[in-house]
Amino acid sequence: MTAVPPGSTLGILGSGQLGRMIAVAAAQLGYRCHIYAPESGPACDVAAAFTCAAYDDQAALATFARDCAVVTYEFENVDLAAVDAIAAHAPVRPGRAALETAAHRWNEKRLAEECGGRPAPWHPVASRTDLDAALATIGTPAILKTATEGYDGKGQFRLTSPGDAHAAWDALGGRECVLEGFVSFTHEFSVLLVRGVGGTSIAYATPHNEHVGGILDRSTAPAPAAILDHAPAAIALATRISQRLDYVGVLTCEFFATPDGPVFNEMAPRVHNSGHWTIEGAETSQFENHVRAVLGLPLGPVTLTGAAVEMRNLIGDDVDAWHGLLAEPGAHLHLYGKHEARPGRKMGHVTRVKR
């Protein structure tokens, strides 16, 4: 494939902070970005163009696609019909197969197993009867998760006994779910893999991820030895998944570190919160490498820029500390331009690199 030349337009589906950081990275390489979303968001502040339209507006999708050399996306719950409409006019990267897999937990767990990975014990649940059967197989404690659209701890219900089944089913709206058995783990970590159009791939240093209330609080690299021991197997699995999907761009796979090896949790076919540290902490950020990959450019080096790096999310009112963070030597502040600091809402992040 011939690389897309600077001056061309990269389309981005979604207007959130991930789209914003992709657009900033693209601009630094000389590309303009065109955002498509049903509402304005942080990405629109830094893009050259914005189409405000629904994801089922076929005419608007076609017009948008014709303005773009390549289209990518910042979230995985993209309507596949919208992707098909865009693909008739411009390449979409990562491709449809990645979205189809990551958008449904059944699909991603089956793919991980087919590629030699080990997810937590799980059972598909499509009815109340299925839930009883799943509980009989997996037991409790367990967690019921919606099969689609869950993120940051949303769309989940913990069951401590089979007697919780009715409440769990009702709480999640009686929709397709997956029941997962609890995993005894020591750490959580992710693999951030970037794969180019020609199939070349490279992985960033594996970060240690710490969550609070189901939302990522902190990512640090390099990770402790207990994670590094698992990293080669986890990276190998992510690589096999990317090959099966003929993936192009940044692929994130999340794992639990256990005494028996890495346990696959979930995948995200996009740049990821646990990779925000790469903006200052790696020679090439995840956002720049995603842009490079989808536009057919050479991938950049991912070596750490310091001895260690830490990224902390600013959630809700945490953003009120912005002035002090600006005054802190060595703190790199990123604010997303969101105007309302609601509880649980990601308002920005701060990165510290230890030289």
Side-chain angles (χ1 to χ4, degrees):
M1 171 202 160
T2 302
V4 175
S8 303
T9 297
L10 172 64
I12 302 174
L13 295 177
S15 61
Q17 65 263 21
L18 298 181
R20 178 189 182 98
M21 289 181 273
I22 292 171
V24 169
Q28 290 174 331
L29 294 177
Y31 296 88
R32 69 191 296 273
C33 285
H34 187 159
I35 306 299
Y36 186 107
E39 68 287 314
S40 180
C44 301
D45 295 339
V46 298
F50 171 46
T51 294
C52 183
Y55 289 120
D56 61 358
D57 187 331
Q58 296 293 305
L61 288 166
T63 300
F64 162 74
R66 283 192 288 265
D67 183 52
C68 302
V70 173
V71 175
T72 190
Y73 43 87
E74 61 138 23
F75 68 108
E76 56 266 50
N77 296 317
V78 179
D79 188 331
L80 292 176
V83 172
D84 292 340
I86 291 168
H89 304 281
V92 178
R93 299 180 181 135
R96 191 184 203 277
L99 277 174
E100 211 166 12
T101 300
H104 201 290
R105 294 186 191 275
W106 301 358
N107 294 339
E108 68 178 13
K109 290 180 183 297
R110 286 168 179 154
L111 178 61
E113 290 174 333
E114 290 168 5
C115 290
R118 181 168 63 95
W122 70 284
H123 197 291
V125 174
S127 67
R128 179 67 176 77
T129 302
D130 285 349
L131 178 54
D132 289 336
L135 286 166
T137 300
I138 292 176
T140 54
I143 185 165
L144 187 67
K145 299 179 179 179
T146 57
T148 61
E149 299 182 351
Y151 66 97
D152 285 347
K154 298 178 176 65
Q156 302 183 10
F157 192 103
R158 295 194 176 201
L159 295 89
T160 58
S161 74
D164 294 331
H166 187 74
W169 184 245
D170 284 350
L172 298 186
R175 54 194 294 189
E176 285 188 336
C177 294
V178 59
L179 185 74
E180 294 181 3
F182 272 33
V183 174
S184 178
F185 62 90
T186 58
H187 300 82
E188 295 179 79
F189 67 96
S190 53
V191 169
L192 301 157
L193 184 87
V194 58
R195 186 173 188 268
V197 172
T200 300
S201 64
I202 188 169
Y204 285 89
T206 303
H208 174 207
N209 301 327
E210 298 172 79
H211 294 79
V212 175
I215 301 174
L216 182 66
D217 176 63
R218 177 170 66 171
S219 289
T220 53
I227 288 175
L228 296 181
D229 290 343
H230 297 302
I235 292 170
L237 174 60
T239 301
R240 291 193 295 271
I241 290 173
S242 74
Q243 291 167 341
R244 276 284 298 273
L245 296 173
D246 194 19
Y247 196 91
V248 177
V250 170
L251 171 67
T252 307
C253 293
E254 296 182 77
F255 292 88
F256 301 115
T258 78
D260 299 320
V263 172
F264 174 86
N265 182 25
E266 61 187 24
M267 61 174 275
R270 53 171 171 81
V271 292
H272 195 260
N273 194 178
S274 67
H276 288 1
W277 61 268
T278 63
I279 298 175
E280 289 84 23
E283 288 193 44
T284 312
S285 77
Q286 65 164 344
F287 302 100
E288 180 178 331
N289 257 336
H290 185 76
V291 170
R292 287 176 177 237
V294 301
L295 295 177
L297 308 175
L299 302 182
V302 297
T303 310
L304 289 173
T305 59
V309 57
E310 175 194 76
M311 184 281 301
R312 295 293 297 262
N313 271 328
L314 300 176
I315 307 295
D317 291 342
D318 291 347
V319 74
D320 293 343
W322 67 270
H323 193 273
L325 291 170
L326 283 176
E328 178 187 330
H332 302 276
L333 179 65
H334 297 259
L335 299 180
Y336 303 150
K338 297 177 180 178
H339 302 298
E340 184 182 353
R342 298 191 300 268
R345 193 181 197 195
K346 295 173 182 173
M347 303 297 294
H349 70 269
V350 59
T351 302
R352 300 173 176 89
V353 181
K354 182 180 179 180
R355 306 295 180 181

